[in-house]
Amino acid sequence: MKHLRAAAAAMASGALLFTGAVTSAQAAPADAYHHPKGAPLKSLAARADLLFGTAVNMDALAEDKTYRKITAREFNSLTAENVMKWETLQPERGVYDFSQGDALMRFAKQNGQQVRGHTLLWHNQLPAWLTEGVADGSITKDELRQILREHITTVAKHYKGKIYQWDVVNEVFEEDGSYRQSLWYQQLGPSYIADAFRWAKQADPHAKLYVNDYNVEGVNAKSTAYHNLVKDLRAQGIRVDGFGIQGHLSTQYGFPGDIPQNLQRFADLGVESSFTEVDVRGVMPMDEAKLNLQADYFRGMLDACLDQRKCTSFTIWGFADQYSWVPDVFAGEGSANIYDESYAPKPSYWAVRQELAEGRD
Ligand code: 9MR
């Protein structure tokens, strides 16, 4: 546990700002986030050979100058929080709208950032024409397979050579490791997963192709299902390159202690891994103890990634609390990000900063 040693050393040397024990009030002068001294987070990450990313809310990027500034300055990888999902990209059958996805690509290019693709297949945020068509039988199973093939091919080709990792399939297992009973599974059976990887590879051979899910940080039934899936697909000659751990944690539950073992067993299979959607929510109102615990959770995930050579990117799911998805989904919980609503860095910001600065072992 490198980070605990480092925190103790920092404390002893009086470097309080980097212990993670600061409150946001202490750490944040009123008017601006960009006061933390030193290099931006992305420079520290680059030195550690890590892509450090955030999910991007395109409305905030258009309307909020500070949001835009932080997005440009602190991260070397961006993920579309929503605009590369089916309902945005194919709002009508056969009609694609890449305008917002392309706007994100342009922003990333202007700022020298890489882009993570999310997601070629999911059971959520599907367009109504698709879900309704399947429900009323007007879209047959054969047609659905063609629709899936066409969507993956069109989207991956559109962004060919510009996306370094694609979440090819997202959230395909239940907590007990059985297949999620999604529209895809119910209509097409489990072979849709191998198909999705084949089609993605054909369309964009250079992107690293990922499975991605939540509650798979440690070794458990769900992460074991992914381990078996990756092993089986690769045994069939299907290219799967990476295991994506979303990393949506809550301070009201314990920290999964066996993340290093989990990352190692995927590395042993020959695939890389990434943290793809990290945030740590808490039961509101937050207090200093909870904020410090939150910082420990961020630190723990980042430390595990940095200590695993095959962990190549670490993306947080947004950075500012006012744009977080959490309060809409978990009643009474919030404060999941590293900056508060006024862009004051929280203890979790300092924890992330410290870990990045320490780099890999
Ligand atoms: O953050 C996203 C939020 O804005 C959307 O409303 C929501 C719709 O389900 O999806 C959120 O992002 C999810 C991601 O795409 C997949 N993993 C879980 C994320 C949080 O729900």
Side-chain angles (χ1 to χ4, degrees), residues 317-338:
W317 207 238
F319 52 86
D321 283 341
Q322 71 271 36
Y323 297 118
S324 171
W325 64 287
V326 166
D328 295 338
V329 174
F330 295 99
E333 290 186 83
S335 185
N337 297 327
I338 65 173

Side-chain angles (χ1 to χ4, degrees), residues 8 69 81 85 96 100-101 192 214 316:
K69 247 186 182 166
E81 182 169 4
K85 296 173 180 172
Y96 289 83
Q100 296 199 75
Y192 80 88
Y214 57 87
I316 56 179

Side-chain angles (χ1 to χ4, degrees), residues 252-270:
Q252 67 175 315
Y253 308 118
F255 184 78
D258 49 6
I259 298 177
Q261 290 88 321
N262 196 30
L263 292 177
Q264 189 56 47
R265 67 178 177 156
F266 280 89
D268 291 344
L269 276 186

